[in-house]
Amino acid sequence: MEQYEPELPQALNSVRAGRDPLTPAQLAAMHRSLRNGRGSLTRRSLLRAATGGTLAVGGLGALSACGIPAAGKGQGDVSSEDHSVKEKRITFSNWTEYMDVDEKDKNRRPTLAAFTKRTGIEVKYTEDINDNVEFFGKIKPQLAAGQDTGRDLICVTDWLAARLIRFGWVQKLDPANLPHAYTNLSTQFRNPDWDPGRAYSYPWTGISTVIAYNKKATGGKKITSVSQLLEDPKLKGRVGFLSEMRDTVGMTLIDMGKDPADFTDDDFDAAIARLQKAVDKRQIRRFTGNDYTSDLAKGDIAACLGWAGDVVQLQADNPDIGFHIPDAGYITSTDNLLVPNKARHKSNAERLIDYYYEPEPAARLAAYINYVCPVDGVRDALAKIDKDAAANPLILPDKEMKEKSRAFRSLTPKEETAYEEKFAKLTGV
C-alpha cells in the first residue's frame, strides 16, 4: 500500500499563500486519488495505465485554496456573450481514451466528425484532463477572476462538478437546446443532490462500483455480497477494497441496509468499524486503486470491489473474471459535461451535448469506451455495432440494475474532513 508522504503538506501550504491548510487526511485522500484512484485511472485503465495522473502540487494547491468563490459571482449570476452563430466552433476538454477513435486513423474521431458534417461546427477536442484536481488547477485562476478558460465544454467527476456549480462557475443550460438530452437521460441520473433536474450538467458516463472476482481463485464460487468479502474465511487475505472512500464506505453502508444518500455520522462510524474488523482479522489484503486489476487477473486477489469499466476490459481478456451486482444495491457516480462561465460558444456546446444523447452517437461512444451509457433507447443501435456490449448490464443497465443504483450523498466540508480522517486511519495512509 502506498504511504502518504509527510513532506506534501508543507509544499502545499507554501503554494497556498497563507490560507488555512487542508488536514493531513484530506491531503492523503487527494494523494490516493491522484496516484491510483478513480481520479487518475478510471477510463479504460488497462489501456492507459502507464499514463496515469501525476501528483501536481500546483493543482492540489489550487483545489485547497478554493474555499471562497470569486467576489460577486453567485450561482447563475454570470452571463456571457454567445458567439456561436458567427463562430462555428467548440473547444472541448475531456479525459484520455474517453472518445471513440477510428481504428484505421487514430487521429479521426467518428462521432465528432459526423457532428461537424451535420452542423458545420468544428470541434477542437483536447485530451487534457488527467485527473480532476490537476485539471481544476488549470482552470481555477480564470474562473475565480471571471475570465474565459478557453474551453466551451469540460468533463469532470461529480464531486468537482458539484463544487463548480456551488461556486457559480458554470453556466445554466438552456433546455430548448437539449431536447434529446432532456428526453433520453436515464432516470437513474436525472436528479443528483448537487444538481437537481440537471440544470447545469449532463452525464457523459456512469461509473458503477460492483463486486468482481476470479472464478479460479474462488474455486468456482460466486461472490455476491460485501458481507462475503468481509466475512467468508475461504477468502481470507485475498480480498480487496477500494482506496476511494465513497466507494468502499458506500458499498458497506448499502450492505448494512443503510442508504448512502441519507446516512448519519453513526452510520458512517458503524461502516468504518465493520471494515476495521476485517482489517484486524487480515480478511482484507489491501485497499487499492485501479491496480487491483492485475492482482485480480492473476488471482492474487480472489474477490474485490471494482469499477465496471475495468471489469468489462478484464473480461475481454480473461473469461475467469466474473462480477455481481449485490441485491442490496451498488454505488454509481458520474463524469459530467458542463459549460464554464465566459465560454464563447455556449449554444454550440449545448448542441454537442444534445447530439450525444441521440441513440446512434451514444451507441458508438458506448461501444468504444465501455462505461455505463446514461442514454435511454440505445440498445438496438448498440446491438448493430456490438451485440455483446448491448447485452452487458455494465454498459447498458437493465431495469433491475438501474433500480439498485445508489449515489453517495454530497458532504459538507466538516463531514468530508472528519470522514476522510477516519478512512485514512482505516487504510493506514
Side-chain angles (χ1 to χ4, degrees), residues 190 267 305 335 368 384:
R190 283 188 178 270
D267 294 334
L305 294 184
D335 282 336
Y368 185 82
K384 294 177 182 178

Side-chain angles (χ1 to χ4, degrees), residues 55-134:
L55 185 61
V57 170
L60 283 174
L63 181 59
S64 64
C66 69
I68 303 174
K73 300 293 189 288
Q75 184 168 309
D77 288 346
V78 176
S79 60
S80 304
E81 184 178 355
D82 193 349
H83 300 266
S84 293
V85 174
K86 293 183 178 180
E87 299 176 2
K88 305 288 282 185
R89 59 181 182 267
I90 309 168
T91 299
F92 180 8
S93 285
N94 205 350
W95 300 78
T96 59
E97 298 292 345
Y98 226 18
M99 179 66 74
D100 56 306
V101 174
D102 190 317
E103 295 301 325
K104 295 181 180 179
D105 180 1
K106 299 298 183 181
N107 294 317
R108 183 176 180 274
R109 298 177 174 88
T111 56
L112 286 179
F115 173 78
T116 297
K117 183 177 181 180
R118 180 200 296 183
T119 64
I121 299 171
E122 296 287 340
V123 182
K124 181 182 179 182
Y125 183 77
T126 307
E127 295 179 329
D128 62 345
I129 305 180
N130 291 312
D131 61 67
N132 289 287
V133 175
E134 182 184 47

Side-chain angles (χ1 to χ4, degrees), residues 91-93 124 142 147-153 341-343:
T91 299
F92 180 8
S93 285
K124 181 182 179 182
Q142 292 95 340
Q147 299 172 352
D148 182 7
T149 66
R151 299 167 175 86
D152 301 299
L153 195 62
N341 282 353
K342 297 296 184 179

Side-chain angles (χ1 to χ4, degrees), residues 33 68 80 84 114 186 208 282 298 308 319 321 324-325 366 389 399 410 417 429:
S33 181
I68 303 174
S80 304
S84 293
S186 174
S208 300
R282 300 187 184 278
K298 291 184 294 185
I321 301 301
H324 187 79
I325 307 300
K399 181 180 179 182
S410 297
T417 296
V429 176

Side-chain angles (χ1 to χ4, degrees), residues 233-244:
K234 293 183 179 179
L235 298 176
K236 183 175 181 178
R238 299 186 297 147
V239 170
F241 275 73
L242 293 166
S243 58
E244 296 283 349

